[in-house]
């Protein structure tokens, strides 16, 4: 067992994945004594980067009492912080009343068990009584309805509050990472609770634990302007999604997938800040063929299904995303919104980096002026991972590219966590 010194800032991390968010915690000189993650491969990578942390790998439902015992065995008292990022897939925007009616009528869809992972999380929190609790998730979490231990359906934020309100105060707030100097318009739901006297006094006067925003889109009011894509990746070596041109030998992970010839044709003909769905004729130069766009169907925005794929003037095939229909044998437009196969813009932060950032069909992930998607290294930069030291390797060997993309896309920018933790420490002093 790893021996730990008694520290004022001891941390328990739950749903730790590979530990990218924890880079911000470590930057504040906190000691992460214990972590829990379900997936073995992520646990192994976590241990590579945090060898001083005891890591329990497995299902939190099954390990919740073992996690509590492992912490207590360290004899360091209550954690200063429990940091948790429980997943909330399958989110529901329905009202509680509607859900209950669907259950009664037998029309309620199958429950996603991941939405209930907050239950063992709160069980651990109440047993260990940390001074601070920091939960991070997607904004939609605030609209999620979960089934409790008593088979009642409640809003997840209301459930968290009801479970902690006897001893803790706090709230959930949506933050845009770009407002904190991170080159990415990534919105997260940050939930912070505390039982510390200083924290409660601060919350009474401020009604928030979040640090003040440092940036804004306009840059007025004493704030800096959002950090743009150009500022952070504009000078990196050029790449192309062609064989032999898709990797940079001097910058690890600065690499992109090779595109099929037809897809490359769509991309190379896509103008700046445009989508390949709107590409015009490269045979005769006619630029009046109708664009892709959106339409309203049943009250919802949907992509057009009748977007032209041939030039209205000369009849040539347009460099738009198309495929051969297996049933008819004819070429048709590929279903998709006009945010797909779309180039990013230099003068704004990036959009949200997801696990699919190396797929050209992903939401606005084509490079502004090079014929490719974002490289893995560029995603690391936009996620602020390169501001810290993190090894994407196990036993000296790089991890799989697909795994690397998943870990980056599912993480929170560590810079955001660092700024929040610095605020928490400042309040606690």
């Amino acid at each position: 067992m790893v021996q730990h010194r008694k520290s004022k800032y001891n941390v328990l991390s739950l749903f730790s994945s590979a530990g990218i968010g924890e880079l911000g915690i470590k930057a504040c000189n906190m000691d992460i004594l214990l972590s829990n993650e379900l997936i073995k491969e992520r646990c192994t990578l976590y241990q590579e980067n945090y060898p001083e942390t005891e890591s329990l790998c497995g299902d939190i439902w099954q390990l919740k009492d073992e996690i509590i015992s492992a912490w207590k065995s360290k004899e360091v008292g209550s954690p200063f912080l429990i940091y948790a990022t429980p997943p909330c897939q399958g989110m529901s925007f329905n009202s509680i009343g509607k859900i209950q009616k669907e259950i009664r009528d037998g029309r309620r869809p199958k429950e996603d068990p991941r939405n209930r992972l907050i239950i063992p999380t709160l069980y651990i929190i109440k047993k260990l009584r940390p001074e601070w609790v920091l939960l991070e998730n997607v904004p939609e979490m605030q609209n999620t309805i979960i089934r409790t231990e008593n088979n009642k359906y409640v809003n997840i934020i209301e459930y968290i509050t009801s479970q902690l309100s006897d001893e803790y105060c706090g709230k959930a707030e949506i933050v845009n990472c770009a407002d904190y100097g991170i080159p990415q318009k990534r919105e997260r739901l940050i939930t912070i609770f505390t039982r510390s006297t200083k924290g409660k006094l601060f919350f009474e006067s401020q009604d928030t634990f979040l640090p003040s925003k440092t940036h804004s889109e306009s840059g007025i009011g004493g704030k800096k302007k959002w950090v743009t894509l150009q500022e952070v990746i504009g000078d990196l070596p050029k790449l192309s999604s062609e064989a032999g041109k898709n990797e940079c030998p001097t910058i690890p992970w600065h690499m992109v997938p090779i595109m099929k010839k037809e897809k490359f044709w769509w991309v190379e003909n896509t103008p700046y800040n445009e989508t390949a769905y709107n590409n015009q004729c490269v045979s005769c130069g006619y630029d009046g063929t109708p664009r892709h766009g959106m339409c309203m169907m049943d009250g919802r925005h949907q992509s057009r299904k009748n977007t032209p794929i041939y030039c209205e003037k000369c009849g040539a095939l347009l460099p738009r995303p198309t495929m051969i229909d297996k049933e008819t044998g004819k070429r048709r437009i590929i279903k998709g919104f006009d945010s797909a196969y779309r180039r990013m813009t230099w003068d704004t932060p990036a959009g949200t980096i997801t696990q699919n950032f190396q797929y050209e069909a992903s939401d606005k992930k084509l490079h502004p002026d090079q014929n490719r998607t974002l490289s893995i290294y560029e995603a690391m930069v936009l996620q602020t991972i390169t501001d810290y030291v993190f090894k994407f390797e196990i036993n000296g060997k790089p991890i799989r590219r697909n795994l690397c993309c998943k870990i980056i896309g599912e993480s929170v920018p560590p810079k955001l966590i660092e700024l929040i933790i610095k605020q928490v420490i400042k309040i606690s002093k």
Side-chain angles (χ1 to χ4, degrees):
M1 180 182 294
V2 179
Q3 295 297 315
H4 295 284
R5 61 183 177 85
K6 290 189 176 182
S7 169
K8 183 179 179 181
Y9 301 122
N10 289 325
V11 180
L12 166 60
S13 172
L14 303 175
F15 310 96
S16 55
S17 185
I20 288 178
E22 282 93 321
L23 292 172
I25 296 175
K26 293 293 290 183
C28 295
N29 296 314
M30 288 187 162
D31 296 315
I32 305 172
L33 305 189
L34 182 66
S35 72
N36 169 239
E37 163 58 30
L38 173 65
I39 303 174
K40 180 62 178 177
E41 204 166 20
R42 286 160 172 74
C43 281
T44 303
L45 187 57
Y46 191 101
Q47 291 169 325
E48 284 275 350
N49 285 279
Y50 302 90
E52 73 285 356
T53 300
E54 180 183 358
S55 181
L56 297 178
C57 187
D59 188 339
I60 191 172
W61 282 104
Q62 299 173 9
L63 294 179
K64 61 183 188 298
D65 289 314
E66 185 177 341
I67 291 169
I68 293 167
S69 297
W71 183 273
K72 289 183 175 180
S73 71
K74 300 181 186 303
E75 299 181 347
V76 293
S78 296
F80 176 78
L81 171 72
I82 288 184
Y83 169 66
T85 58
C88 276
Q89 282 83 358
M91 305 223 179
S92 171
F93 294 91
N94 294 334
S95 67
I96 295 174
K98 183 175 181 180
I99 286 177
Q100 290 174 334
K101 186 177 187 302
E102 289 174 346
I103 292 169
R104 289 193 300 268
D105 296 343
R107 296 184 294 105
R108 180 68 183 148
K110 184 178 179 182
E111 180 180 67
D112 192 322
R114 290 171 293 186
N115 285 3
R116 303 184 73 235
L117 289 171
I118 191 63
I119 296 174
T121 302
L122 289 168
Y123 175 84
I124 293 170
I125 289 170
K126 289 192 289 184
K127 290 290 186 180
L128 293 180
R129 298 180 62 247
E131 286 190 47
W132 291 84
V133 175
L134 171 57
L135 308 176
E136 178 272 328
N137 214 293
V138 295
E140 289 81 2
M141 178 181 176
Q142 66 181 340
N143 299 311
T144 299
I145 305 300
I146 67 166
R147 179 173 58 85
T148 69
E149 311 96 306
N150 300 320
N151 286 323
K152 293 183 178 180
Y153 285 83
V154 298
N155 173 275
I156 193 169
I157 300 301
E158 293 176 4
Y159 177 71
I160 293 169
T161 302
S162 68
Q163 292 293 303
L164 299 180
S165 59
D166 287 347
E167 192 173 11
Y168 290 79
C169 72
K171 66 188 298 186
E173 299 179 71
I174 295 176
V175 303
N176 185 339
C177 291
D179 290 335
Y180 292 93
I182 295 164
Q184 187 182 165
K185 290 181 284 188
R186 188 186 192 97
E187 289 191 335
R188 309 303 292 176
L189 184 71
I190 301 296
T191 305
I192 305 178
F193 278 82
T194 187
R195 66 175 179 85
S196 75
T197 301
K198 290 182 178 179
K200 289 181 177 180
L201 289 172
F202 183 89
F203 191 66
E204 287 178 5
S205 63
Q206 302 293 327
D207 195 35
T208 181
F209 291 124
L210 294 175
S212 299
K213 298 175 183 178
T214 55
H215 295 66
S216 70
E217 184 174 8
S218 62
I220 61 176
K223 296 181 175 65
K224 300 177 182 178
K225 293 194 70 172
W226 281 347
V227 179
T228 68
L229 201 67
Q230 178 74 57
E231 292 176 83
V232 292
I233 69 168
D235 294 331
L236 288 174
K238 292 184 176 183
L239 299 175
S240 176
S241 291
E242 301 169 279
K245 300 179 181 180
N246 66 313
E247 295 188 29
C248 175
T250 59
I251 301 179
W253 298 105
H254 190 36
M255 57 182 68
V256 295
I258 297 171
M259 289 184 193
K260 293 181 179 180
K261 187 175 181 180
E262 188 173 38
K263 287 186 177 182
F264 190 84
W265 181 56
W266 307 338
V267 171
E268 70 176 341
N269 284 290
T270 303
Y272 177 75
N273 195 26
E274 263 289 5
T275 170
Y277 280 111
N278 292 334
N279 284 343
Q280 298 295 329
C281 189
V282 294
S283 295
C284 72
Y286 179 68
D287 62 0
T289 302
R291 296 159 63 87
H292 187 48
M294 309 287 290
C295 62
M296 290 292 292
M297 292 183 65
D298 299 324
R300 295 187 302 167
H301 285 285
Q302 296 190 23
S303 60
R304 294 189 186 280
K305 307 299 187 295
N306 59 348
T307 300
I309 63 174
Y310 296 100
C311 176
E312 288 192 338
K313 184 177 181 179
C314 73
L317 179 67
L318 300 173
R320 296 181 174 183
T322 59
M323 63 179 293
I324 302 297
D325 191 293
K326 292 181 179 180
E327 293 183 2
T328 65
K330 296 180 179 180
R331 187 173 290 274
R332 63 168 176 83
I333 196 79
I334 295 175
K335 295 179 182 179
F337 294 105
D338 62 3
S339 58
Y341 298 97
R342 179 176 283 277
R343 291 194 182 275
M344 307 170 77
T345 54
W346 280 125
D347 57 354
T348 65
T352 300
I353 302 300
T354 68
Q355 299 179 21
N356 298 322
F357 67 85
Q358 286 216 308
Y359 289 90
E360 60 278 344
S362 186
D363 185 52
K364 203 171 184 179
K365 294 300 182 293
L366 290 179
H367 190 277
D369 54 33
Q370 296 171 33
N371 299 320
R372 61 179 179 86
T373 59
L374 283 173
S375 76
I376 296 176
Y377 179 78
E378 287 168 334
M380 292 178 183
V381 172
L382 297 172
Q383 199 76 327
T384 69
I385 298 169
T386 53
D387 293 349
Y388 306 84
V389 177
F390 191 88
K391 298 184 296 181
F392 284 90
E393 56 184 44
I394 296 174
N395 295 325
K397 296 182 180 180
I399 61 174
R400 294 176 289 108
R401 293 188 189 185
N402 185 49
L403 175 61
C404 188
C405 292
K406 286 183 177 180
I407 289 170
I408 294 170
E410 71 188 14
S411 68
V412 59
K415 187 66 177 178
L416 178 66
I417 299 301
E418 180 182 351
L419 292 171
I420 293 171
I421 295 300
K422 283 181 177 178
Q423 173 78 344
V424 166
I425 292 174
K426 181 180 177 181
I427 294 170
S428 302
K429 288 184 176 179

